[in-house]
Every structure is written in C-alpha cells, then in structure tokens.
Amino acid sequence: MPSRVQLALNVTDIDQAVTFYARLFGTGPAKRRPGYANFAIADPPLKLVLLENPGQGGSLNHLGVEVPDTGTVSAEQARLATAGLASSQPGQTTCCYAEQDKFWVQGAPDGEAWEVYAVLADSQTFYAAGHGEACCGGPGQPGEPAVAHDAPCC
C-alpha cells in the first residue's frame, strides 16, 4: 500500500454522511462501526474518516498520513524529530477500530492535529481499555464520537 493522506471529519449524522461520501467518491466505506466510518479511496488516494460528533458537523477532527508499515512510521518519526516536529510519544495503540503504530506531529502553525500511522490489525473496539493517551484529535484535543463523549480519544 502506498502512503496516503488522511482527512478526519466530524459529522452530525453518520448515516447521512456515509451516503453522501459513498456517492461522491463512488465507493462504500472500508469500515463501518457505530458513530464511525472510514473510506479507503484509491483515486484520489485518500483515507477519509467520519466521526459522528453532533453539534460539530462539518468541522475538521484531525489530519494524518497513513503509511504502509511500522518501519515507515519509525523513519518518519526520526525524520520529523530531527526537524523538531515529531511527538516524543510514538508507539502502538488501538484507535478508530484499528490497532496502530503511530505518533503525533507537533508544531503545526494553527494547532491542527496531524498523525503518522500504520494500521497493524482490525479491532472490534474504538480504543483500547485504559486508553490514557490521545487517539484521534491529537494530544489533548477533543475528538470523541457520540458514543464515547467521556473518552480523550476519538
């Protein structure tokens, strides 16, 4: 799998959003769970993530770069650390119904949250039990779906 940009959007109604984006990109979601959907779009290469967050529909949740493997995550973390942009907390986590190896980019000029990640396996849960670290939405930023408003993770 080549790398692709990820765009995670907050949506008011997940069903309505899935219908719209399936029509827009001509493909159905690659994964669908309560309050969550993601599309793996081939052309243009895009990972579109939809997070049901009533009252925040139409706003950006976070951005990311999905890479093919953990070696690429490590290489990007080292490259961005040298540039002063990589979080010092790389590692494996469960987020967005997937086991992932990831880190968060820091220093975006307007505070937007960027992650660099590789998906390791599918997960039946949105995040791991005892998820103390931020998941989607970036470190210290909100981004949870309607089904888990008390979680620091999307």
Side-chain angles (χ1 to χ4, degrees):
M1 176 199 81
S3 298
R4 61 181 162 206
V5 170
Q6 175 193 301
L7 172 63
L9 298 175
N10 293 313
V11 300
T12 301
D13 182 310
I14 193 70
D15 295 326
Q16 187 176 40
V18 165
T19 299
F20 173 79
Y21 287 106
R23 291 175 64 202
L24 178 66
F25 291 109
T27 188
K31 185 181 293 187
R32 180 78 194 267
R33 302 284 197 282
Y36 175 87
N38 80 43
F39 291 77
I41 301 159
D43 187 23
L46 173 67
K47 178 70 151 279
L48 176 65
V49 177
L50 304 175
L51 301 159
E52 190 169 64
N53 264 318
Q56 295 182 18
S59 64
L60 179 67
N61 186 285
H62 68 282
L63 301 158
V65 179
E66 181 181 17
V67 299
D69 52 49
T70 59
T72 306
V73 171
S74 296
E76 286 300 299
Q77 198 278 335
R79 182 182 72 80
L80 293 171
T82 299
L85 298 177
S87 164
S88 61
Q89 301 172 341
Q92 293 187 4
T93 188
T94 299
C95 179
C96 300
Y97 297 101
E99 294 176 23
Q100 303 175 352
D101 186 22
K102 74 162 61 181
F103 69 93
W104 289 95
V105 176
Q106 53 194 26
D110 292 310
E112 56 274 18
W114 279 90
E115 65 178 326
V116 177
Y117 69 98
V119 173
L120 307 175
D122 192 43
S123 172
Q124 293 304 307
T125 60
F126 195 83
Y127 43 76
H131 58 282
E133 80 282 0
C135 168
C136 300
Q141 296 186 26
E144 61 268 38
V147 296
H149 281 295
D150 60 337
C153 177
C154 67

